[in-house]
Amino acid sequence: MGAADRLNSTREAICRAAADCGRDPHSVRLVCVTKTFPAEAAVPLLEAGHRIFGENRVQEAAAKWPKLREKYSDIELHLIGPLQSNKAREAVELFDVIESVDREKIAKALSDEISKTGKRPRLFAQVNTGAEPQKAGVLPESADSFLTACREAYGLKIEGLMCVPPVDQQASPHFALLADIAARNGISELSMGMSSDFELAIQLGATYVRVGSAIMGERDYPA
């Protein structure tokens, strides 16, 4: 089975999961995670009509996507990995959605670059729902104040929240926590759920699911 076939199977699974909980399947969008794969690996998916892709690193995306965009101009590219402040300008220029806004230093850098370039990528805040020291993301207890600072101090519109639950824990409490934070802050977009748990994420309100290995095949670390 090729990547395009796995894409179709994933799309069908998303539709089933949405229908099972009474949701419109069109309310859930699939981000195909192509990190570590070469540009040519995305072509069968693009030819199959898919347009939303996720990358972990600014540098890798910069080497891969501009040429593809020459042929497929309607690509929507998401940054789903940690962002360093010195990469903020490149990220603003390259990505349509930045899902990993997680600290005030990044919020300020993005605000500055948006002002300078006039480009306005959609922004999601990343929440470290498991309070894992090795992971990026604002801690849940600091999320409300961080979102207020993004809006009031830096003039940023945060449209969504993103999380990556701990691999050794049930994902559902983390998805529910993210949904609660979003609800009380008036945020409608939720990026949660990956290859192993996207159906559960859909049940708990995901509007974007990030699926890598189930479409692209296995890599050296979870996707």
Side-chain angles (χ1 to χ4, degrees):
M1 182 182 288
D5 295 317
R6 293 191 293 268
L7 170 68
N8 287 331
S9 295
T10 302
R11 285 171 167 168
E12 290 169 2
I14 289 170
C15 288
R16 285 195 302 271
D20 286 347
C21 57
R23 293 184 59 189
D24 179 354
H26 293 100
S27 69
V28 184
R29 284 144 290 178
L30 169 62
V31 180
C32 180
V33 180
T34 46
K35 63 184 184 183
T36 78
F37 287 93
E40 55 267 26
V43 172
L45 306 176
L46 288 160
E47 288 295 312
H50 192 70
R51 290 296 183 269
I52 309 176
F53 294 87
E55 292 284 344
N56 252 34
R57 300 178 187 277
V58 175
Q59 190 169 356
E60 180 184 349
K64 185 186 302 185
W65 287 98
K67 194 169 181 77
L68 288 170
R69 274 186 157 147
E70 291 176 8
K71 184 173 182 182
Y72 308 97
S73 60
D74 54 345
I75 287 168
E76 179 178 301
L77 192 59
H78 290 231
L79 177 63
I80 59 173
L83 176 60
Q84 297 174 320
S85 56
N86 64 352
K87 297 287 188 182
R89 169 163 287 194
E90 200 170 1
V92 166
E93 294 277 4
L94 182 61
F95 290 93
D96 302 289
V97 184
I98 296 173
E99 297 197 15
S100 45
V101 183
D102 67 345
R103 57 197 187 279
E104 289 203 36
K105 184 178 181 181
I106 292 299
K108 182 180 187 308
L110 289 171
S111 178
D112 290 346
E113 296 305 333
I114 287 168
S115 296
K116 289 175 188 173
T117 64
K119 293 196 172 237
R120 291 193 169 273
R122 298 169 63 211
L123 302 176
F124 290 15
Q126 182 173 353
V127 181
N128 186 348
T129 55
E132 297 176 276
Q134 78 278 15
K135 275 187 184 170
V138 63
L139 294 174
E141 60 268 26
S142 303
D144 292 0
S145 60
F146 176 66
L147 291 167
T148 298
C150 285
R151 291 164 173 160
E152 297 183 358
Y154 303 109
L156 298 177
K157 181 180 180 182
I158 302 295
E159 296 186 24
L161 300 182
M162 184 266 269
C163 75
V164 183
V167 295
D168 58 348
Q169 295 181 23
Q170 288 287 330
S172 53
H174 297 273
F175 296 156
L177 174 59
L178 196 72
D180 285 345
I181 295 169
R184 68 173 178 256
N185 284 281
I187 290 172
S188 59
E189 302 288 0
L190 290 170
S191 174
M192 57 190 197
M194 298 186 288
S195 290
S196 62
D197 55 19
F198 66 84
E199 287 121 329
L200 177 61
I202 291 167
Q203 292 175 20
L204 291 168
T207 60
Y208 285 91
V209 294
R210 309 181 307 273
V211 179
S213 58
I215 296 171
M216 303 302 298
E218 292 299 326
R219 47 168 73 85
D220 293 335
Y221 47 90

